[in-house]
């Protein structure tokens, strides 16, 4: 079924072709009934050219010889046939047959045969038939090449993404293995040694409490390292059962990891207090449910703020604020000036704040860090309650929710979705084999397209040469059959035939072969020479001619009239 836009376009084109066809036929003396019939046939053949391009082209070419109104339709039919006839050989055969049929019909209608007339008819058919067909063929081949390049481009994008994804997976696995082998071993040693030191009877109560804080921190770090290694190996996963509030272990040896959401902020504050730092936790506003990614970003922001305060301002008091605004959660960690010099032996990667800013950006928030007027430091973040892509503020129970952020040149939109509406962001197993098969099937056609382009270029070159030759022939034929009115006036009745014929063209041209209709009667026993005038007639269908009649070797009559 054609879309509405094509139906409207074809209707307008049929009307635009039918009206001139009917007008040409009427002006050619066909009568009103025949003109209407020609217009209706033209309007019917116009949309049929899309379905039967070869048939419509042959019918139009054969009819244009006897029906002058088919001339506009012939151009459109040739263009459409060049675009829609598949295969170079089939298209060449159809156009050759049409050309021969049209040329033969045109010569059949002529009153007499001449080589010049044959040449001009052949050139006229080249212009009205072959040139539109070549243009349509070129357009079709250009569209084919463009579509093929588009498919190859999509294929290259998919291959590039697959290679990049494989490289990322290998690098993540390598990093995970290095972290597990190096950091895991060191943290395990710290946990073992601090556990043994905690039960030493020589330690005082405060010392034992400090060692306990170190042991819990090392165990918690081991759990977080395990989670990070799992993410690097397997990708993001849903929070485990131990991630909820109150998930701290009770056996004293291997506590479960703290919650990484807002509920885990209490654990971070408590750990800092056990380390001997005065930490105040302030909450304001009505608590709102957060998406997992936003809650995790808030947890990391508090963790980074406390870590920086311990490293760069040891002994300073810290204030942690959680403020629930109508549209976002504001997280703030502020510390006063350092009570004692910072420990320079503490390693610092310098990437903490940069990572926090990126994490907040991914969930649609922002982070600000700056010194305070009293010499302290303030870290604050504004986080929306739902991150981009989350359709609900709280995920359904037991279902993992992952936020994906598409890059600027993400190719996933080029991969069609499956019936369920999902699409693999890396590899579309249904679309790619079809695309590859289609591209491979067109590899053989590329040679055909190249050959077609070469043959088309050769035909265009021959056509240009033929048009030039035809122009020269037409000028020569006009010199044989046309004179200026001054030449007519210079000839007088009574001059010898030899003298007059020497001053006039011979008139042996096809252009002067059918000028007797409507002419005055020829004098009895005279032989006449009829020539065309270089001037225009009194109307568009009147041709001015000059006739010179000879008898007994003298010019006995000259007449100027229109036929």
């Amino acid at each position: 079924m054609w879309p509405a836009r094509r139906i409207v376009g074809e209707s307008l084109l049929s009307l635009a072709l039918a009206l001139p066809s009917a007008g040409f036929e009427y002006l050619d003396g066909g009568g009103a009934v025949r003109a209407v019939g020609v217009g209706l046939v033209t309007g019917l053949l116009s949309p049929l050219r899309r379905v039967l391009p070869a048939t419509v082209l042959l019918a139009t070419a054969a009819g244009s010889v006897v029906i002058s109104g088919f001339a506009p339709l012939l151009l459109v039919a040739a263009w459409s046939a060049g675009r829609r006839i598949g295969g170079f050989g089939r298209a060449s055969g159809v156009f050759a047959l049409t050309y021969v049929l049209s040329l033969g019909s045109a010569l059949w209608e002529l009153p007499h045969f001449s080589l010049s007339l044959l040449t001009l008819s052949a050139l006229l058919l080249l212009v009205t038939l072959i040139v539109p067909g070549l243009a349509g063929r070129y357009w079709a081949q250009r569209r084919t090449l463009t579509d093929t390049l588009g498919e190859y481009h999509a294929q290259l994008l998919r291959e590039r993404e697959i290679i990049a994804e494989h490289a990322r997976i290998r690098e993540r696995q390598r990093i995970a293995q290095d972290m597990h082998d190096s950091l895991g071993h060191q943290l395990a040693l710290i946990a073992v040694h601090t556990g043994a030191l905690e039960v030493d009877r020589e330690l005082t109560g405060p010392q034992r409490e400090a060692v306990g804080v170190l042991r819990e921190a090392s165990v918690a770090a081991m759990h977080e390292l395990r989670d990070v290694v799992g993410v690097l190996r397997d990708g993001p996963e849903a929070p485990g059962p131990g991630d909820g509030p109150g998930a701290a272990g009770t056996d004293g040896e291997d506590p479960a990891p703290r919650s990484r959401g807002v509920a885990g902020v209490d654990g971070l504050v408590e750990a800092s207090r056990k380390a001997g730092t005065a930490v105040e936790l302030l909450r304001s506003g009505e608590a709102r449910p957060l998406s997992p990614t936003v809650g995790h970003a808030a947890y990391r922001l508090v963790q980074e703020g406390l870590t920086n305060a311990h490293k760069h301002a040891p002994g300073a008091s810290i204030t942690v604020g959680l403020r629930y605004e109508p549209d976002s959660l504001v997280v703030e960690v502020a510390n006063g000036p350092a009570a004692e010099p910072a420990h320079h032996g503490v390693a610092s990667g310098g990437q903490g704040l940069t990572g926090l800013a990126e994490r907040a950006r991914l969930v649609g928030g922002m982070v600000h860090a700056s010194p305070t007027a009293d010499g302290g430091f303030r870290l604050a973040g504004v986080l929306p309650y739902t991150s981009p892509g989350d359709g609900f503020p709280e995920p359904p129970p037991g279902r993992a929710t992952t936020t994906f952020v598409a890059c600027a040149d993400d190719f996933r939109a080029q991969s069609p979705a499956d019936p369920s509406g999902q699409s693999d962001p890396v590899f579309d197993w249904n679309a790619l084999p079809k695309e590859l098969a289609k591209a491979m099937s067109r590899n053989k056609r590329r040679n055909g397209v190249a050959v077609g382009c070469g043959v088309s270029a050769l035909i265009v070159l021959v056509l240009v040469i033929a048009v030039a030759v035809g122009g020269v022939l037409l000028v020569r034929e006009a010199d044989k059959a046309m004179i200026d009115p001054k030449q007519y006036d210079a000839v007088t009745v009574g001059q010898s035939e030899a003298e007059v014929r020497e001053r006039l063209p011979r008139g042996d041209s096809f252009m002067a072969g059918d000028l007797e209709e409507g002419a005055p009667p020829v004098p009895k026993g005279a032989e006449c020479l009829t020539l065309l005038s270089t001037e225009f007639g009194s109307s568009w269908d009147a041709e001015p001619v000059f006739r010179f009649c000879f008898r007994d070797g003298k010019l006995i009559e000259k007449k100027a009239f229109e036929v």
Side-chain angles (χ1 to χ4, degrees):
M1 296 296 295
W2 286 357
R5 181 178 180 182
R6 179 174 295 177
I7 293 176
V8 173
E10 287 297 327
S11 301
L12 294 177
L13 179 61
S14 299
L15 183 62
L17 292 175
L19 292 178
S21 298
F24 289 158
E25 189 65 23
Y26 181 77
L27 293 177
D28 198 35
V33 176
R34 181 171 176 173
V36 172
V38 170
L40 292 177
V41 173
T42 302
L44 179 62
L45 289 178
S46 177
L48 283 180
R49 81 190 192 282
R50 285 183 169 270
V51 184
L52 303 171
T55 304
V56 172
L57 177 62
L58 288 170
T60 305
S64 61
V65 177
V66 295
I67 302 177
S68 59
F70 276 178
L73 179 61
L74 181 61
L75 299 175
V76 178
W79 161 273
S80 184
R83 287 190 59 186
R84 290 176 172 80
I85 296 179
F88 178 76
R90 183 167 179 264
S92 300
V94 171
F95 275 91
L97 178 60
T98 306
Y99 185 78
V100 172
L101 177 62
S102 302
L103 185 59
S105 302
L107 294 178
W108 182 266
E109 293 293 325
L110 294 177
H112 64 277
F113 176 81
S114 69
L115 181 61
S116 300
L117 185 59
L118 175 64
T119 303
L120 290 177
S121 299
L123 293 176
L124 180 62
L125 284 175
L126 282 177
V127 174
T128 59
L129 181 65
I130 303 300
V131 171
L134 289 176
R137 194 71 182 172
Y138 166 76
W139 180 266
Q141 290 178 346
R142 181 178 179 274
R143 291 291 299 271
T144 300
L145 291 175
T146 302
D147 294 342
T148 303
L149 290 176
E151 292 175 2
Y152 286 166
H153 176 66
Q155 174 187 340
L156 291 176
L157 287 178
R158 287 181 172 87
E159 292 177 353
R160 184 189 68 177
E161 188 66 20
I162 292 171
I163 294 173
E165 182 65 19
H166 287 173
R168 286 194 294 265
I169 292 174
R170 288 196 300 267
E171 185 64 16
R172 283 165 51 179
Q173 290 177 347
R174 185 190 66 80
I175 295 174
Q177 188 64 38
D178 290 345
M179 293 176 63
H180 179 272
D181 294 343
S182 58
L183 294 180
H185 176 68
Q186 299 298 332
L187 290 175
L189 289 179
I190 294 174
V192 170
H193 286 295
T194 53
L197 184 61
E198 188 178 9
V199 298
D200 192 345
R201 297 181 180 180
E202 296 183 359
L203 294 180
T204 62
Q207 292 175 336
R208 185 174 288 105
E209 184 177 354
V211 172
V213 172
L214 292 177
R215 184 186 64 81
E216 291 180 2
S218 62
V219 173
M222 289 178 61
H223 282 291
E224 293 199 7
L225 176 63
R226 187 186 341 172
D227 293 341
V228 171
V229 170
V231 169
L232 286 174
R233 286 178 174 173
D234 306 324
E237 296 181 355
D243 289 350
T250 58
D251 58 1
E253 295 297 333
D254 191 17
R258 298 187 182 97
S259 170
R260 294 194 194 172
V262 177
V265 173
D266 292 325
L268 295 175
V269 172
E270 185 63 26
S272 295
R273 288 172 179 170
K274 289 182 179 180
T277 304
V279 182
E280 181 181 8
L281 177 59
L282 303 177
R283 285 187 171 91
S284 62
E286 183 180 356
R288 299 276 296 275
L290 305 174
S291 66
T293 51
V294 174
H296 188 64
Y299 176 86
R300 289 302 186 192
L301 195 148
V302 174
Q303 187 183 49
E304 181 68 19
L306 292 174
T307 301
N308 288 342
H310 289 309
K311 287 194 300 184
H312 303 291
S317 60
I318 304 174
T319 301
V320 178
L322 298 175
R323 188 167 70 252
Y324 291 90
E325 300 289 348
D327 57 350
S328 60
L329 171 65
V330 179
V331 182
E332 182 179 6
V333 180
N335 61 270
E340 56 186 75
H343 303 289
H344 298 288
V346 180
S348 176
Q351 301 297 324
L353 295 180
T354 303
L356 277 181
E358 179 66 15
R359 186 186 297 273
R361 186 189 66 83
L362 292 179
V363 299
M366 59 181 296
V367 171
H368 174 73
S370 63
T372 58
D374 59 355
F377 196 82
R378 176 178 175 269
L379 175 64
V382 180
L383 307 173
Y385 291 122
T386 57
S387 63
D390 292 328
F392 42 81
E394 187 174 5
R399 178 176 176 180
T401 301
T402 306
T403 300
F404 294 98
V405 179
C407 57
D409 57 345
D410 193 1
F411 80 102
R412 282 176 280 183
Q414 303 178 24
S415 181
D418 58 19
S420 63
Q422 301 294 327
S423 178
D424 192 324
V426 176
F427 199 96
D428 190 277
W429 294 99
N430 293 325
L432 189 57
K434 291 182 181 178
E435 181 181 87
L436 287 176
K438 191 174 182 181
M440 292 173 62
S441 67
R442 290 191 175 182
N443 285 339
K444 297 180 179 179
R445 295 170 59 185
R446 287 189 300 175
N447 295 332
V449 170
V451 173
C453 292
V455 174
S456 300
L458 179 61
I459 293 176
V460 170
L461 179 61
V462 173
L463 180 60
V464 171
I465 297 175
V467 170
V469 173
V472 174
L473 291 177
L474 186 61
V475 172
R476 292 179 59 184
E477 291 295 319
D479 291 339
K480 296 179 182 179
M482 301 181 71
I483 62 172
D484 190 84
K486 294 180 180 180
Q487 293 178 271
Y488 172 79
D489 295 336
V491 176
T492 58
V493 176
Q495 287 182 301
S496 65
E497 180 179 354
E499 182 182 359
V500 172
R501 288 188 179 274
E502 184 179 357
R503 299 175 61 178
L504 297 178
R506 292 179 298 174
D508 54 346
S509 171
F510 72 91
M511 299 179 67
D514 189 21
L515 300 177
E516 301 300 330
E517 183 179 356
V522 178
K524 185 177 180 179
E527 181 182 353
C528 298
L529 171 63
T530 305
L531 300 174
L532 294 171
S533 174
T534 57
E535 294 185 343
F536 294 101
S538 58
S539 62
W540 71 274
D541 60 346
E543 185 71 34
V545 296
F546 301 122
R547 190 177 68 182
F548 304 88
C549 295
F550 305 95
R551 187 173 59 191
D552 298 333
K554 291 185 178 182
L555 176 66
I556 63 171
E557 181 187 66
K558 70 171 187 177
K559 281 186 176 292
F561 53 91
E562 292 183 343
V563 297

